[in-house]
Amino acid sequence: MKDLVREEVIRWIQEVGIDNKVTVIISRSDTETDKRGRSNKLIFDCDKGGKHKSTDSGTQSASKKCGCPFKIRSTPAKDGSGWKIDVKCGLYNHGLPDRLEGHSFIGRLTTDEKQHVVDLTKRRVSPRHIFLSLQDRDPENVTRVTHVYKHKSVIQKEIRGPRSEIQHVFKLIEDAGYVCWSRKKDDSEVVRDIFWAHRDSVKLLNIFPIVLVMDSTYKTNKYRQSLFEIVGMTSIELTFAVAFAYMESEQTENFCWVLEKLKELFVKKDLCPQVILTNRDLALMKAIEIVFPRSINLLCRFHINKNVGAKCKQHVVNDLQKTIDTLWMEVVWASDEVEYGQRLHQLEQACVDYSRFINYVKDTWLTPHRHRFVGL
């Protein structure tokens, strides 16, 4: 028996449960009213109590409920001095965990922790680092990073309000004063592509239009659309963001639309980038030929070397991989046609037993695109 006020009895029972590796939840809470049969009481069960309710949906589901009989009843004392606790059943029909880390109930964020997540989210701190901050504040914290992600999602929904995700994107772009274009599918409200650029980026683009880098980043949104990024370079080799675009697909027609919008950012109509650096995206390369025919389209050596290295590991024995990698780099950095021919011959001789690898190198990179990345 223990006399406590209502809020304290809830906290005390749950804390004692946590100390004993047991998750105690409120299964029923009644408040006294003028209606017959209603009185103040609290019923606590183990979180594994009860039985799993199957549905007719046909999908398979799992449940942690195993009919645990543990039960506590708490009611106000008759003399009004507080609440009393009555353990109706103190038995369990399941094992107890070694740790409660990541438990769906115990790991819930407290009010103070939720506010901490809000404050750090406003400062654009990543969920992973927010999670580490929570652990630094309380080493006994059993929250997992998934709880942080879930609360961050709640925060974003509150900020967005009744607007859809795409409506909120347009609002943010408008509020920040970006230059923006978008287009919809015929006879519908479905957005196909979005292009936006900051006004300061437009100024920098017109000051430093010589070199542009274009690439796509993936897994940035739940719609699985790629984020197309356009980056410029200053005269002292510093980079700056020029523009971004979401596209419904990475087809030549979509890239052409984006590049046409990029073209409209130039103050002088005859101005265009001298060099555009990309990866081997054939649709993008074709679009560059159409929209910027005077620009030189070079390929990124970093991505090429990465792909060639992966193919080398796939087809060449370990002992020769380093040698072939060195020979490949000498081909890439050849200074003239004579040196290029010599280096390529050496690479072919080293790969005489690895025809699939050397054919990949020649057919995919050297024959169609060597003028785009070899340093001749």
Side-chain angles (χ1 to χ4, degrees):
M1 306 284 290
K2 192 173 182 70
D3 291 334
L4 297 166
V5 297
R6 182 186 181 97
E7 291 75 16
E8 289 179 347
V9 76
I10 296 174
R11 183 170 59 253
W12 185 84
I13 289 176
Q14 292 181 339
E15 288 177 353
V16 172
I18 292 173
D19 292 339
N20 291 275
K21 301 295 190 297
V22 177
T23 305
V24 181
I25 62 173
I26 301 175
S27 62
R28 182 174 178 182
S29 176
D30 279 353
T31 303
E32 185 176 3
T33 63
D34 294 334
K35 293 184 178 180
R36 182 180 178 183
R38 299 298 297 271
S39 61
N40 288 325
K41 66 179 176 182
L42 291 167
I43 306 296
F44 298 87
D45 288 345
C46 171
D47 69 329
K48 298 181 185 295
K51 295 182 180 180
H52 174 57
K53 296 180 181 180
S54 59
T55 62
D56 298 330
S57 62
T59 59
Q60 293 183 346
S61 60
S63 173
K64 62 185 177 183
K65 293 184 179 295
C66 60
C68 179
F70 178 84
K71 188 177 294 292
I72 293 176
R73 188 174 188 270
S74 182
T75 57
K78 292 183 179 180
D79 59 3
S81 59
W83 286 63
K84 62 180 181 179
I85 297 172
D86 183 14
V87 180
K88 293 295 185 181
C89 180
L91 302 177
Y92 296 90
N93 63 354
H94 56 85
L96 299 180
D98 295 331
R99 299 187 64 196
L100 291 172
E101 181 180 357
H103 192 283
S104 58
F105 182 81
I106 303 299
R108 289 178 180 176
L109 297 170
T110 64
T111 302
D112 181 60
E113 289 170 341
K114 288 180 179 179
Q115 185 59 48
H116 187 62
V117 173
V118 171
D119 294 339
L120 294 185
T121 298
K122 289 180 179 178
R123 292 169 174 80
R124 301 185 183 277
V125 179
S126 67
R128 180 170 63 90
H129 289 97
I130 294 176
F131 171 65
L132 294 175
S133 176
L134 290 173
Q135 288 188 320
D136 289 340
R137 284 166 50 120
D138 181 10
E140 301 298 323
N141 191 303
V142 294
T143 297
R144 281 188 175 176
V145 70
T146 52
H147 292 94
V148 178
Y149 273 104
K150 288 179 180 178
H151 190 60
K152 186 176 180 180
S153 177
V154 172
I155 296 170
Q156 291 172 339
K157 288 181 180 179
E158 291 176 351
I159 295 173
R160 193 169 65 241
R163 295 182 295 273
S164 66
E165 288 91 342
I166 191 66
Q167 289 173 336
H168 190 60
V169 168
F170 281 124
K171 181 181 184 301
L172 292 176
I173 290 174
E174 181 181 356
D175 291 346
Y178 279 73
V179 178
C180 179
W181 289 281
S182 65
R183 62 174 181 169
K184 302 176 182 178
K185 289 187 177 180
D186 296 336
D187 301 325
S188 75
E189 292 299 312
V190 178
V191 177
R192 293 183 60 190
D193 308 299
I194 312 172
F195 176 97
W196 70 96
H198 195 276
R199 295 188 182 278
D200 290 342
S201 296
V202 176
K203 294 178 182 178
L204 286 172
L205 173 64
N206 283 276
I207 297 172
F208 304 106
I210 297 176
V211 178
L212 293 181
V213 182
M214 300 180 183
D215 196 11
S216 294
T217 301
Y218 302 90
K219 300 180 181 179
T220 63
N221 56 85
K222 70 178 183 179
Y223 302 106
R224 299 186 181 276
Q225 286 184 314
S226 63
L227 175 63
F228 186 63
E229 300 177 81
I230 304 173
V231 176
M233 185 172 293
T234 69
S235 56
I236 55 175
E237 298 184 357
L238 295 177
T239 59
F240 61 93
V242 174
F244 302 89
Y246 275 127
M247 301 180 295
E248 66 171 348
S249 62
E250 294 180 284
Q251 303 296 323
T252 299
E253 192 270 338
N254 300 93
F255 282 121
C256 282
W257 181 84
V258 170
L259 295 182
E260 287 290 351
K261 298 309 173 186
L262 172 65
K263 197 173 184 178
E264 292 186 33
L265 298 180
F266 290 106
V267 175
K268 297 180 180 178
K269 297 305 179 182
D270 60 339
L271 193 62
C272 69
Q274 294 182 19
V275 176
I276 299 178
L277 184 66
T278 68
N279 58 10
R280 195 183 69 94
D281 188 325
L282 300 180
L284 174 57
M285 294 166 66
K286 182 64 176 178
I288 291 173
E289 291 181 7
I290 297 172
V291 181
F292 295 112
R294 292 186 295 155
S295 300
I296 299 173
N297 181 198
L298 299 182
L299 298 183
C300 175
R301 286 178 178 170
F302 172 80
H303 289 99
I304 295 174
N305 294 335
K306 186 177 180 180
N307 291 333
V308 171
K311 191 67 70 172
C312 181
K313 290 181 180 179
Q314 182 180 348
H315 295 293
V316 179
V317 295
N318 293 338
D319 295 342
L320 282 177
Q321 287 178 8
K322 188 173 182 180
T323 300
I324 290 178
D325 182 64
T326 301
L327 292 173
W328 163 253
M329 294 303 295
E330 290 176 350
V331 171
V332 172
W333 289 99
S335 58
D336 53 45
E337 289 288 349
V338 175
E339 184 181 357
Y340 171 77
Q342 293 173 347
R343 301 304 185 189
L344 179 58
H345 179 71
Q346 292 174 353
L347 179 63
E348 290 172 331
Q349 291 299 311
C351 298
V352 66
D353 295 327
Y354 306 104
S355 58
R356 295 184 65 181
F357 170 73
I358 193 63
N359 288 339
Y360 161 79
V361 168
K362 294 167 70 174
D363 296 343
T364 305
W365 299 109
L366 295 179
T367 301
H369 303 303
R370 70 166 185 164
H371 62 287
R372 299 182 188 272
F373 69 93
V374 175
L376 297 175

